[in-house]
Amino acid sequence: MSIDVETARRVAKLARIQVDEHDLPALAGELSNILGFMEQLNEVDVTGVEPMTSVTPMRLKRRADVVTDGNIQELVLKNAPDAREGFFAVPKVVE
Amino acid sequence: MSNANELTIAAARDKLRAGDLSAVDLTMACLTAMDAGDTLGAFVHKTPEIALEQARAADARLQAGGAPDLCGIPLGIKDLFCTKGVPSQAASNILAGFKPEYESTVTAKLFDAGAVMLGKLNMDEFAMGSSNESSCYGPVVNPWRSDDRELSPGGSSGGSAAAVAGDLCLAATGTDTGGSIRQPAAFCGIVGIKPTYGRVSRWGIIAYASSLDQAGPMTKSVRDAAILLGAMAGHDPKDSTSADLPVPDFEAALTGDIRGKKIGIPREYRVAGMRPEIQKIWDKGAEMLRDAGAEIVEVSLPHTKYALPAYYVIAPAEASSNLARYDGVRYGHRAKLAAGDGITEMYEKTRAEGFGAEVQRRVMIGTYVLSAGFYDAYYNRARKVRALIKRDFEQAFAAGVDAILTPATPTPAFGLGEMSSADPVEMYLNDVFTVTLNLAGLPGVSVPVGLDADGLPLGLQLIGRPWEEGELLNHAYVLERAAGFVAKPQKWW
């Protein structure tokens, strides 16, 4: 599977990573190489094999659906690049 | 003791308890060694005030009696662990300035046991790498050298391995997603164990690939690994994948007796083009275990060849999801925006500026293999192959094998920059012997066994049954004693 420049542009967009137009051909080449490496997986007969969902066979624990912490708004916002009036601030989303 | 920083945990513990050494003096010796070791680039955020405060508290606790094993033991902490009020940025620019308001479960347990934190250790960015060259802080230099080249300490826990090998600390924490504890341990001539998946809580450890990530100790001896693992392990309600199993006394498991045990040698690990020195040390290790009374048998792990390609689908897929949280909103870096930029430009510019090349590559690969139309062809197929890789090991253990012996790495430490021109896939091959265990969730330990012709350390890996870290460490202990590896890097820094 070879990745063309258009696909590389689309993947970068999906990943929300800005890639300059002139870097796209190199990126496409790198991604193609890595995917080529993965093609080996097609040699394996996986008929009847279930995809692994958990590496250790154990049931996830359950707990009561209750609040275990809270009232730490200040701590939650402390590392934000832009926090105002108790909120995370971002560029305008709605016109 | 002016050279107390060279002690093992076990030796320091005994001296601290006997009152022959104070935690403050031990910590001072390490702080001095840490500052003198700046050229190695291992420590990236130093915390001497915290260290001395913890050391004073440890001395009080030691005097009161009944202090835990780690009381007063100075450690380095990989930058991947969130430590309250101390920069924790996974060696990434995207987490520049991030100081967590919480403590990871592992570091909280270590501090409760009286351990002393000297500072945070360098690593590959988001633990993605095998050479510690993808760090935003710059590379780590291996304390070992064979000529005037600077060598890589391996990665991703390269800072941890270099700090322990260079005696900047007594031991360090590491994490291992595809070999990130065991490969740097082998490159730096120290011991490193990746426990069974679920043995150690992942809470508060910055996530790379959640189904593969596991933290573990990096130490100067197998006994130290047993002590430190015991303190790191245990069930944590905050990590739903952490196992609710009792933590055995791993140190007590080190009997040195492996008579009658069966050690498997997997024929598929004899990869084409294996270096003669690696083959030689592997044969030598098998001979040592045989001399100790174990039976050596050949085993087959037929899907070994597909472990790396499966890993490079699964790990990036999980990484692309985990790293979606770095969006410039809640923590870390946000790009400067131009007039008219909206929220999408904020995300795209922030992530382009904040993530390094390898991280961007893996996030995009992960995005691609999870995207509509390719999910079955790549991700689901990789998860099926992963099930087969695990089955290979289950069949070997079911046939009565107690542990499996393999090389830890395909080569000794390589030079910094030597892999930079290579295809990314070339770098991935470093994990060929270690990555299978992460996919199967099994414990594995890297033990230094000898030196190559250039005087660089070579390590072997032992693989154990799930939840049998005690027995695994006992095998490692036998190997360690038989190998009598005492070489240290000559101090040039």
Side-chain angles (χ1 to χ4, degrees):
Chain A
M1 187 79 186
S2 174
I3 297 221
D4 55 20
V5 166
E6 192 42 52
T7 309
R9 184 184 292 116
R10 191 173 56 87
V11 171
K13 185 77 190 169
L14 281 172
R16 295 290 182 272
I17 296 174
Q18 187 180 62
V19 178
D20 286 342
E21 198 60 35
H22 67 267
D23 291 332
L24 283 174
L27 175 67
E30 279 175 3
L31 298 184
S32 293
N33 267 358
I34 298 171
L35 288 170
F37 178 61
M38 294 171 180
E39 298 294 326
Q40 291 176 66
L41 294 177
N42 293 327
E43 299 165 13
V44 186
D45 180 6
V46 292
T47 322
V49 180
E50 283 296 307
M52 184 189 282
T53 49
S54 170
V55 74
T56 42
M58 59 168 68
R59 262 182 79 88
L60 289 185
K61 290 201 167 245
R62 295 172 174 213
R63 65 166 176 83
D65 185 15
V66 291
V67 176
T68 54
D69 59 9
N71 296 318
I72 50 168
Q73 186 190 50
E74 198 187 317
L75 299 184
V76 169
L77 293 173
K78 203 152 182 180
N79 277 291
D82 189 2
R84 293 177 221 164
E85 298 166 43
F87 294 95
F88 294 112
V90 295
K92 200 155 87 174
V93 185
V94 185
E95 288 303 322
Chain B
M1 273 188 80
S2 58
N3 54 350
N5 53 298
E6 295 171 13
L7 293 171
T8 59
I9 294 177
R13 169 186 64 184
D14 297 347
K15 283 179 190 297
L16 288 166
R17 284 181 178 164
D20 294 341
L21 177 69
S22 76
V24 168
D25 285 347
L26 175 59
T27 299
M28 289 298 293
C30 288
L31 292 173
T32 306
M34 176 174 79
D35 286 338
D38 282 346
T39 15
L40 297 176
F43 278 95
V44 289
H45 299 288
K46 299 177 181 178
T47 57
E49 294 87 7
I50 293 174
L52 285 170
E53 195 187 307
Q54 288 171 330
R56 280 191 288 269
D59 276 330
R61 207 163 153 188
L62 282 157
Q63 260 167 15
D69 288 334
L70 282 184
C71 191
I73 303 295
L75 303 175
I77 304 295
K78 189 176 182 181
D79 200 34
L80 204 63
F81 292 78
C82 285
T83 43
K84 191 175 177 183
V86 175
S88 308
Q89 60 182 93
S92 180
N93 284 323
I94 208 152
L95 276 171
F98 176 57
K99 289 184 185 174
E101 290 297 329
Y102 48 85
E103 192 69 49
S104 81
T105 296
V106 166
T107 46
K109 284 170 88 84
L110 294 176
F111 299 157
D112 285 347
V116 169
M117 174 169 71
L118 299 165
K120 303 300 283 289
L121 291 164
N122 207 341
M123 52 181 283
D124 278 298
E125 184 180 4
F126 281 107
M128 299 180 192
S130 306
S131 68
N132 212 118
E133 290 170 295
S134 76
S135 164
C136 74
Y137 309 114
V140 175
V141 186
N142 193 326
W144 291 85
R145 56 194 343 184
S146 54
D147 44 40
D148 52 5
R149 285 176 309 150
E150 291 191 330
L151 300 179
S152 164
S156 69
S157 309
S160 305
V164 174
D167 288 321
L168 312 188
C169 53
L170 270 58
T173 62
T175 63
D176 191 315
T177 305
S180 282
I181 286 176
R182 293 159 286 155
Q183 183 252 18
F187 274 18
C188 293
I190 64 164
V191 175
I193 177 169
K194 181 202 90 72
T196 313
Y197 182 81
R199 178 60 93 182
V200 174
S201 169
R202 291 181 295 108
W203 194 85
I205 299 173
I206 296 168
Y208 161 21
S210 305
S211 79
L212 303 160
D213 296 344
Q214 194 58 196
M218 302 181 70
T219 59
K220 297 176 192 177
S221 72
V222 172
R223 180 172 300 279
D224 283 8
I227 296 170
L228 189 49
L229 178 59
M232 294 170 73
H235 177 242
D236 177 11
K238 288 190 280 197
D239 173 3
S240 61
T241 61
S242 95
D244 196 355
L245 292 173
V247 178
D249 184 339
F250 297 123
E251 194 183 3
L254 307 181
T255 60
D257 183 3
I258 58 161
R259 284 173 297 174
K261 298 287 184 189
K262 220 184 241 187
I263 310 292
I265 306 288
R267 73 171 76 100
E268 291 81 4
Y269 281 56
R270 289 183 204 285
V271 291
M274 179 182 273
R275 293 205 193 182
E277 58 205 351
I278 301 286
Q279 182 65 53
K280 211 171 117 191
I281 201 99
W282 190 12
D283 293 343
K284 207 172 120 193
E287 210 176 285
M288 290 174 194
L289 295 174
R290 186 188 296 122
D291 289 346
E295 184 193 343
I296 307 296
V297 295
E298 194 176 77
V299 296
S300 176
L301 302 167
H303 295 91
T304 299
K305 183 185 161 197
Y306 303 105
L308 270 176
Y311 175 85
Y312 277 99
V313 174
I314 293 167
E318 295 186 22
S320 73
S321 308
N322 272 325
L323 272 59
R325 73 191 67 181
Y326 304 105
D327 55 6
V329 175
R330 287 158 297 168
Y331 28 66
H333 176 73
R334 178 187 292 188
K336 280 207 168 47
L337 301 182
D341 278 353
I343 196 156
T344 304
E345 287 79 12
M346 184 194 76
Y347 294 150
E348 292 179 348
K349 287 183 177 178
T350 295
R351 290 161 67 80
E353 288 176 10
F355 291 145
E358 182 60 24
V359 172
Q360 291 193 17
R361 226 176 348 249
R362 293 198 197 183
V363 166
M364 286 194 259
I365 281 287
T367 303
Y368 181 77
V369 299
L370 291 178
S371 64
F374 299 105
Y375 186 90
D376 268 325
Y378 290 104
Y379 186 62
N380 262 346
R381 176 164 280 269
R383 290 196 302 147
K384 288 177 185 175
V385 171
R386 184 177 181 184
L388 291 172
I389 288 164
K390 184 170 182 240
R391 200 174 69 188
D392 286 353
F393 282 105
E394 283 166 352
Q395 285 169 348
F397 287 127
V401 165
D402 294 287
I404 295 169
L405 182 73
T406 77
T409 56
T411 66
F414 47 82
L416 286 171
E418 280 175 16
M419 302 283 274
S420 62
S421 56
D423 187 299
V425 172
E426 285 290 303
M427 186 70 98
Y428 300 169
L429 295 176
N430 262 286
D431 294 334
V432 65
F433 300 129
T434 48
V435 74
T436 46
L437 283 67
N438 300 78
L439 292 168
L442 297 172
V445 58
S446 170
V447 186
V449 172
L451 300 174
D452 73 356
D454 297 324
L456 295 177
L458 296 172
L460 290 178
Q461 171 179 251
L462 279 158
I463 307 167
R465 296 167 182 271
W467 314 113
E468 296 289 347
E469 290 90 349
E471 189 180 329
L472 174 64
L473 284 165
N474 190 36
H475 283 87
Y477 181 58
V478 169
L479 194 58
E480 177 185 54
R481 289 209 302 191
F485 184 88
V486 289
K488 285 268 197 180
Q490 205 167 12
K491 197 163 177 289
W492 53 265
W493 58 91

